[in-house]
């Protein structure tokens, strides 16, 4: 693929020049880390520990939105919350090199949580509760506010307007989406809280790290005004009997913050939105060679058949939970 994409100019020399523009001196070692939306690298530093360089995807977040994220992280760091905040250089945390915003942060070494470990689920609940407590004072003014129906509509419209979804599957897709949208609308009407609060927005297992016996929450790239259950439901891995997992997470969470049990009625809304938006995200980034390489099956009919099956499973799980 020869088309220009967001990171086509981000070659090794550019990466090292950007890092050294902050005053650090690299040893020229670059190790690419697993990130597709942005570009993230571990950079070796002369006479020092490696740093993590995060280059933000152009045109995704504004400078004001990124700075609001950084301001939050620095406040959480001062409050003693186990997160990873950006490094400051001459009072700045955000830099721009050849049109791409970037920041540097310390390297954190550890392990991701075990999916079914109840003790760890309790600890994760504690951490998310602590984060929410410290974030709750002031809503975001620059970041987005969650809107599941709007997200669902935008993702659906995007998918249907392109030709990656085979034409013969579009009627089935529309029918399944309409079912999920109707179920989502009913749940939102019944359970949506009166006020949103700042949340992480994408607190899946890969964004949590067990370091020196303590979990740390990473990558606040999607922080937004939302609801508590957004940051909790992603850790429920059992579909037949999730109550025990939920109990551990909520018990840990309520060490720091009260949890409105009515929000549990919105879990299936967020599950459905995540499945729909994931496909739209892949489609929207398909011009990026990194996506074509990492997800070579995306433009096949088999992918979309599996996607339709995922959407059907969302409906069936929803119905089972309602019984």
């Amino acid at each position: 693929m020869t088309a220009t994409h967001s990171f086509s100019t981000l070659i090794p020399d550019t990466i090292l020049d950007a890092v050294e523009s902050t005053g650090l001196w690299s040893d020229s070692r670059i190790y690419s880390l697993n990130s597709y939306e942005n570009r993230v690298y571990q950079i070796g530093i002369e006479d020092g520990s490696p740093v993590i360089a995060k280059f933000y995807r152009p045109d995704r977040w504004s400078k004001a939105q990124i700075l609001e994220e950084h301001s939050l992280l620095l406040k959480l760091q001062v409050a003693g919350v186990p997160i990873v905040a950006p490094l400051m250089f001459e009072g700045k945390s955000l830099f721009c090199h050849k049109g791409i915003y970037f920041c540097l942060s310390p390297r954190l070494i550890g392990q991701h949580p075990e999916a079914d470990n109840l003790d760890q689920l309790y600890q994760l609940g504690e951490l998310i509760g602590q984060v929410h407590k410290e974030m709750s004072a002031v809503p975001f003014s620059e970041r987005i506010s969650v809107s599941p129906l709007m997200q669902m509509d935008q993702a659906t419209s995007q998918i249907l307007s392109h030709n990656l979804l085979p034409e013969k599957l579009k009627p089935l897709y529309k029918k399944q989406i309409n079912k999920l949208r109707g179920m989502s609308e009913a749940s939102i009407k019944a359970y949506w809280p009166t006020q949103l609060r700042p949340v992480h927005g994408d607190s899946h297992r890969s964004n949590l790290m067990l370091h020196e016996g303590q979990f740390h929450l990473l990558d606040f790239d999607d922080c937004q005004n939302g609801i508590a259950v957004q940051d909790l439901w992603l850790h429920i891995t059992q579909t037949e009997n999730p109550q025990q997992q939920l109990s551990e997470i909520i018990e840990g969470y309520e060490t720091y913050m009260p949890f409105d049990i009515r929000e549990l009625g919105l879990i299936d809304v967020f599950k459905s939105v995540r499945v729909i938006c994931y496909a739209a995200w892949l489609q929207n980034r398909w011009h990026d060679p990194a996506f074509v390489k990492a997800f070579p099956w995306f433009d096949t009919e088999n992918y979309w058949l599996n996607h339709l099956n995922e959407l059907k499973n969302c409906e069936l799980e929803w119905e089972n939970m309602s019984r």
Side-chain angles (χ1 to χ4, degrees):
M1 181 174 291
T2 59
T4 300
H5 59 92
S6 299
F7 295 109
S8 59
T9 62
L10 201 58
I11 60 176
D13 283 349
T14 303
I15 295 167
L16 295 178
D17 287 346
V19 171
E20 292 183 352
S21 72
T22 67
L24 295 179
W25 188 252
S26 80
D27 61 12
S28 298
R29 290 180 297 171
I30 303 175
Y31 179 67
S32 180
L33 301 179
N34 187 24
S35 178
Y36 298 108
E37 185 61 13
N38 303 303
R39 293 293 187 269
V40 183
Y41 306 92
Q42 178 179 298
I43 310 295
I45 300 299
E46 289 282 0
D47 302 320
S49 300
V51 297
I52 304 301
K54 176 179 180 178
F55 292 83
Y56 290 88
R57 180 173 290 273
D59 302 322
R60 180 169 182 249
W61 300 120
S62 68
K63 181 179 180 180
Q65 288 172 321
I66 298 171
L67 287 174
E68 188 168 44
E69 173 199 344
H70 287 194
S71 176
L72 166 68
L73 288 169
L74 293 166
K75 289 177 182 176
L76 292 176
Q77 183 181 59
V78 169
V81 180
I83 50 86
V84 176
L87 295 169
M88 301 286 286
F89 298 90
E90 298 183 354
K92 295 173 59 180
S93 63
L94 183 64
F95 308 89
C96 189
H97 187 76
K98 293 192 174 180
I100 301 178
Y101 286 114
F102 75 96
C103 69
L104 304 180
S105 61
R107 179 182 62 165
L108 192 73
I109 300 175
Q111 298 81 40
H112 299 304
E114 300 169 18
D116 297 316
N117 187 313
L118 295 180
D119 289 336
Q120 289 191 356
L121 286 175
Y122 180 87
Q123 295 174 54
L124 297 182
E126 282 188 307
L127 173 55
I128 294 171
Q130 185 182 11
V131 169
H132 284 188
K133 180 181 179 181
E134 296 297 334
M135 292 170 70
S136 64
V138 182
F140 290 121
S141 60
E142 301 291 341
R143 309 293 297 193
I144 66 171
S145 293
V146 67
S147 179
L149 294 180
M150 184 179 73
Q151 290 173 275
M152 192 179 291
D153 290 344
Q154 289 177 342
T156 300
S157 177
Q158 177 188 309
I159 288 171
L160 289 172
S161 66
H162 291 79
N163 59 6
L164 285 173
L165 172 63
E167 197 67 33
K168 65 181 180 181
L169 296 180
K170 287 185 178 181
L172 289 173
Y173 180 81
K174 292 177 184 178
K175 181 179 179 180
Q176 191 60 57
I177 291 292
N178 287 338
K179 286 183 181 179
L180 290 174
R181 196 190 189 284
M183 297 167 83
S184 297
E185 192 169 11
S187 291
I188 288 170
K189 185 176 180 179
Y191 303 118
W192 197 255
T194 57
Q195 188 172 358
L196 301 180
R197 65 173 72 175
V199 298
H200 180 279
D202 195 29
S203 64
H204 55 77
R205 287 175 57 229
S206 295
N207 281 336
L208 285 144
M209 186 75 74
L210 182 61
H211 173 73
E212 296 181 352
Q214 186 175 46
F215 279 109
H216 291 64
L217 188 54
L218 314 176
D219 192 4
F220 280 66
D221 200 48
D222 289 295
C223 62
Q224 58 192 261
N225 293 313
I227 65 176
V229 80
Q230 274 182 268
D231 285 346
L232 301 179
W233 78 266
L234 289 166
H235 303 287
I236 302 169
T237 56
Q238 298 175 4
T239 56
E240 293 183 0
N241 185 27
Q243 284 77 12
Q244 191 175 19
Q245 289 185 321
L246 274 171
S247 177
E248 292 295 332
I249 296 169
I250 293 171
E251 186 178 351
Y253 185 86
E254 290 191 321
T255 303
Y256 289 93
M257 288 285 286
F259 178 76
D260 183 356
I261 205 74
R262 287 167 50 83
E263 288 188 14
L264 297 180
L266 296 166
I267 288 176
D268 287 302
V269 175
F270 287 108
K271 281 185 180 179
S272 300
V273 169
R274 192 170 183 87
V275 171
I276 296 166
C277 287
Y278 182 73
W281 173 66
L282 290 176
Q283 186 186 69
N284 193 41
R285 298 290 185 249
W286 199 237
H287 64 282
D288 186 331
F291 280 73
V292 177
K293 182 178 180 180
F295 310 102
W297 32 257
F298 176 68
D299 63 346
T300 67
E301 182 175 316
N302 191 51
Y303 168 80
W304 291 101
L305 289 171
N306 288 333
H307 178 61
L308 283 166
N309 189 52
E310 279 189 288
L311 295 175
K312 183 63 178 179
N313 285 339
C314 286
E315 178 191 350
L316 294 176
E317 287 179 21
W318 202 325
E319 291 173 346
N320 289 336
M321 288 288 288
S322 301
R323 289 172 183 169

